[in-house]
Amino acid sequence: MIELRPLTQPPNQADLLLTHEAIQPFIHRTPIMRCESLDEMAGCHLHFKCENFQKIGAFKMRGAASAALRFGPEEIKAGLATHSSGNHAQAVARAARTLGVPAYIVMPHDAPKVKIAAVQGYGAQISFCNNTPEERQAALNDVVAATGAAFIHPFNDFGVVAGQATAGIELIRDTKTTLDYILAPVGGGGLLAGTALAARYFSLQATVWGAEPENVDDAHRSLQTGRIEANVDNRTVADGLRTNLGERTFQIIQKRVPKILLVSEQEIIEATRLIWERMKIIIEPSCAVPFAAVLRYREAFANKHVGIILTGGNVDVTALPF
Amino acid sequence: MIELRPLTQPPNQADLLLTHEAIQPFIHRTPIMRCESLDEMAGCHLHFKCENFQKIGAFKMRGAASAALRFGPEEIKAGLATHSSGNHAQAVARAARTLGVPAYIVMPHDAPKVKIAAVQGYGAQISFCNNTPEERQAALNDVVAATGAAFIHPFNDFGVVAGQATAGIELIRDTKTTLDYILAPVGGGGLLAGTALAARYFSLQATVWGAEPENVDDAHRSLQTGRIEANVDNRTVADGLRTNLGERTFQIIQKRVPKILLVSEQEIIEATRLIWERMKIIIEPSCAVPFAAVLRYREAFANKHVGIILTGGNVDVTALPF
């Protein structure tokens, strides 16, 4: 395994290239898919980066691997730890298995059974807690104190951001034309920050915009006020996007992402169904948010080449929103 | 457009190559997908040919194009016609649009609204009839008499078989290793017959087996008795496989397909769900039948390379069997 240097600043171009090289054993090179009927509907040229086909079913594999490889072998001998009810938990569990060290995951009692089973399937040890930020953090502190495992934050970590950036690098390299826009959904901001850096260092001209549900518009408001805003409510079908930004991701997004587009719950559900029906692929509602934004703000994208990162496909297919 | 010669005998190697060349403007070259977790589960190496990503969402595009190109320009000037409640209707409608001629489709009153809308979306004219074989045929005869359109049978046509064979040719060519088995579902037998011919002419060693629901096991029984058997019941979740064989498809299958594997309804539903969840792609229950057979008869496939044709992805995502 290649070791990467710890990052105390946003990753630069060399960091991103080294990261992409180092995480190769952990990731698939996912395809770019196109769809004539969605292009017609949107009035532009869409290029979908299919991270739903990534290992563990989501781009989170990239960031977890990138962060894990920044620890020295001694530092992770006791294992990797995190708190997450979603894809980051699976990513850390799988990274630990690949590295041959234990994984300790704090999950809320009410996490979906299918996600608990997936994390267990990678051989991780799960500690359950109540589903509040305070109790999650307390449970994680206990696990780290008891095991000596190394903590990997889901997004507020420059190592994680460097890993998430590699999806954008591949999108830019594998698209046969020059992209005008790249859109990514925004929750904690790891992917959006990484995508902005990928465009900064590897694209000739692509502008990166975020897309977010109206119901959890914290990132949109944060760009307006210039400080990290919190969501008062977290009711959205895009369950991966409920989180607020972190200071490290906000620092990058504030500098490099000029706009975050908002869409309604109904628009997210409709966009999810369209991608399922027309592209025949399974995606999480969270990653239909950028496509929903293209449909809503179509005049901004008319005839442009637009890259969209489809972030993941871990859906309970027995409980769909349509 | 390249014109193809009419076929009164099963297509030979040259026919298949010419067909593949001629239908290029009508088809996508669909990808082969692999999945580590399904390989582990099945104990063999699976190579999935993703015809769910084909134009109109199913392999039927290939056969309809191949058959349409065997008519002279004068013969199709008045249009193309068929009866179908499913993918063949869309395929004929789209082939006609590409060729710039009208399409006349006979569909049962109770066909799914989403399929009716898709056929209309390709600009075809629909005649509705009651859902019995006799009434469908009578309605079709009326349409052909009134319009002079050229009829394309859904499967019992060597031109259609030649088109369906091209999915197998691509599977054999694009798989990076030598396949031991190729499995296809069997309804009317167009795909299975075509796949058997593709293996005969383009594979070093692949054996082709069919796979069929126990509830509609007509092809399995036909191989045993040596004549075309009919289904007494047609209750199966694999709605594309309810049809009986035709004399032309049976002639090829009897000669070249040694075995047809049977699976239960529960096994089909479970296999569909596994492909959705693990591969993150949307497939029709009909094309989960071969994968269900691999899981049921796993000892036959142990450590082998097995090609599976995923035939289509036109599913009503608001009415799933799980």
Side-chain angles (χ1 to χ4, degrees):
Chain A
M1 296 289 170
I2 304 174
E3 261 181 66
L4 295 168
R5 73 178 180 104
L7 295 175
T8 54
Q9 294 293 322
N12 61 29
Q13 191 173 31
D15 290 320
L16 297 185
L17 287 172
L18 288 167
T19 300
H20 199 207
E21 193 64 30
I23 67 173
Q24 288 301 315
F26 297 81
I27 61 170
H28 291 309
R29 187 150 192 135
T30 55
I32 315 284
M33 288 184 78
R34 311 217 43 200
C35 181
E36 283 172 31
S37 68
L38 295 186
D39 278 6
E40 269 175 45
M41 210 172 285
C44 63
H45 310 280
L46 298 165
H47 305 260
F48 293 97
K49 172 68 171 168
C50 292
E51 288 291 295
N52 54 328
F53 298 146
Q54 190 49 268
K55 291 187 184 179
I56 71 105
F59 74 95
K60 293 272 185 181
M61 192 64 237
R62 299 174 182 268
S66 165
L69 292 172
R70 284 168 214 282
F71 293 109
E74 281 302 311
E75 292 173 287
I76 60 166
K77 217 171 56 182
L80 301 177
T82 200
H83 54 72
S84 162
S85 59
N87 293 328
H88 181 64
Q90 294 182 58
V92 170
R94 177 136 183 181
R97 195 179 69 171
T98 305
L99 291 164
V101 302
Y104 304 96
I105 313 289
V106 173
M107 298 184 86
H109 288 294
D110 55 3
K113 279 197 185 113
V114 53
K115 302 224 168 177
I116 296 171
V119 170
Q120 283 169 332
Y122 294 122
Q125 198 173 310
I126 302 179
S127 309
F128 292 99
C129 68
N130 290 323
N131 197 0
T132 69
E134 298 72 26
E135 297 202 50
R136 282 180 176 216
Q137 190 59 50
L140 179 81
N141 293 346
D142 290 349
V143 164
V144 168
T147 63
F151 170 51
I152 298 181
H153 193 279
F155 55 86
N156 197 31
D157 177 318
F158 292 128
V160 169
V161 169
Q164 317 307 30
T166 62
I169 295 173
E170 293 178 10
L171 170 60
I172 291 162
R173 287 190 173 160
D174 295 343
T175 302
K176 288 178 186 73
T177 185
T178 304
L179 292 170
D180 301 299
Y181 291 95
I182 303 177
L183 305 183
V186 53
L191 179 69
L192 182 57
T195 304
L197 293 173
R200 159 74 181 81
Y201 290 120
F202 298 95
S203 167
L204 289 177
Q205 64 180 63
T207 300
V208 173
W209 285 348
E212 196 174 34
E214 286 171 349
N215 283 8
V216 292
D217 65 346
D218 59 295
H220 176 82
R221 284 184 285 114
S222 300
L223 276 194
Q224 293 185 316
T225 62
R227 60 192 180 84
I228 297 174
E229 300 288 339
N231 290 311
V232 283
D233 193 351
N234 70 1
R235 278 175 299 184
T236 173
V237 68
D239 58 340
L241 308 184
R242 289 173 185 149
T243 324
N244 304 328
L245 297 173
E247 64 206 37
R248 293 187 182 80
T249 53
F250 182 53
Q251 168 187 344
I252 298 168
I253 289 168
Q254 195 174 25
K255 187 165 172 189
R256 307 202 177 276
V257 178
K259 198 181 280 193
I260 289 172
L261 305 171
L262 299 179
V263 293
S264 72
E265 292 300 300
Q266 195 46 49
E267 288 168 329
I268 298 169
I269 291 169
E270 175 68 9
T272 306
R273 196 176 56 74
L274 279 170
I275 290 175
W276 283 49
E277 286 183 353
R278 302 302 173 109
M279 297 184 65
K280 316 296 182 190
I281 61 175
I282 290 177
I283 59 156
E284 301 175 8
S286 299
C287 51
V289 172
F291 175 56
V294 169
L295 294 178
R296 173 156 171 180
Y297 306 97
R298 46 185 301 134
E299 62 292 344
F301 301 103
N303 292 315
K304 300 292 186 186
H305 285 274
V306 182
I308 289 183
I309 301 183
L310 295 177
T311 52
N314 292 327
V315 180
D316 181 351
V317 298
T318 64
L320 301 179
F322 40 73
Chain B
M1 296 289 170
I2 304 176
E3 260 181 66
L4 295 167
R5 72 177 180 105
L7 295 175
T8 54
Q9 294 292 321
N12 61 29
Q13 191 173 30
D15 290 320
L16 297 185
L17 287 172
L18 287 168
T19 301
H20 199 208
E21 194 63 30
I23 68 173
Q24 289 300 315
F26 296 82
I27 62 170
H28 291 308
R29 187 148 191 135
T30 56
I32 314 283
M33 288 185 75
R34 310 216 45 199
C35 180
E36 283 172 31
S37 68
L38 295 186
D39 278 5
E40 269 176 43
M41 211 173 283
C44 64
H45 310 281
L46 298 165
H47 305 261
F48 293 96
K49 173 68 171 167
C50 293
E51 288 291 296
N52 54 328
F53 298 146
Q54 189 50 266
K55 291 187 185 181
I56 71 105
F59 75 96
K60 293 272 185 181
M61 193 63 239
R62 299 174 182 269
S66 165
L69 292 173
R70 283 167 214 283
F71 293 109
E74 282 301 311
E75 292 174 288
I76 61 165
K77 217 171 53 182
L80 301 177
T82 199
H83 55 72
S84 161
S85 59
N87 294 328
H88 181 64
Q90 293 182 59
V92 170
R94 178 138 181 176
R97 195 179 68 170
T98 305
L99 291 164
V101 301
Y104 302 97
I105 313 289
V106 173
M107 298 185 85
H109 287 297
D110 56 0
K113 279 198 187 108
V114 52
K115 302 224 168 177
I116 295 172
V119 170
Q120 283 169 332
Y122 294 122
Q125 197 173 310
I126 302 179
S127 309
F128 292 100
C129 67
N130 289 324
N131 196 0
T132 69
E134 297 73 26
E135 298 202 50
R136 282 180 177 215
Q137 191 58 50
L140 180 80
N141 292 348
D142 290 349
V143 164
V144 168
T147 63
F151 170 50
I152 298 181
H153 192 280
F155 54 87
N156 197 33
D157 177 318
F158 292 129
V160 170
V161 169
Q164 317 307 29
T166 62
I169 295 173
E170 292 178 11
L171 170 60
I172 291 162
R173 286 189 173 159
D174 295 344
T175 302
K176 290 180 185 69
T177 185
T178 305
L179 293 170
D180 300 299
Y181 291 95
I182 302 177
L183 305 183
V186 54
L191 179 69
L192 182 57
T195 305
L197 293 174
R200 158 74 180 82
Y201 291 120
F202 298 95
S203 167
L204 289 176
Q205 64 180 63
T207 300
V208 173
W209 285 347
E212 196 175 34
E214 286 171 350
N215 284 7
V216 291
D217 65 345
D218 60 294
H220 176 82
R221 285 183 286 113
S222 300
L223 276 194
Q224 293 185 317
T225 62
R227 59 192 181 84
I228 296 174
E229 300 287 340
N231 290 311
V232 282
D233 192 350
N234 70 0
R235 277 176 299 186
T236 174
V237 67
D239 58 341
L241 309 183
R242 289 173 184 150
T243 325
N244 305 327
L245 297 174
E247 63 205 38
R248 293 187 180 82
T249 54
F250 182 53
Q251 168 187 344
I252 298 168
I253 289 168
Q254 195 174 25
K255 186 164 173 191
R256 307 204 176 273
V257 178
K259 198 181 279 193
I260 289 173
L261 304 170
L262 298 179
V263 294
S264 72
E265 293 299 300
Q266 195 46 49
E267 288 168 329
I268 297 169
I269 292 169
E270 174 67 10
T272 307
R273 196 176 55 76
L274 279 170
I275 289 175
W276 282 49
E277 286 183 353
R278 303 303 173 108
M279 296 183 67
K280 316 296 182 192
I281 60 175
I282 290 176
I283 59 156
E284 301 175 7
S286 299
C287 53
V289 171
F291 176 56
V294 169
L295 293 178
R296 173 155 169 182
Y297 306 97
R298 46 185 302 132
E299 61 294 341
F301 302 101
N303 292 315
K304 300 291 186 188
H305 286 274
V306 182
I308 289 182
I309 301 182
L310 295 177
T311 51
N314 292 327
V315 180
D316 180 351
V317 299
T318 64
L320 302 178
F322 38 74

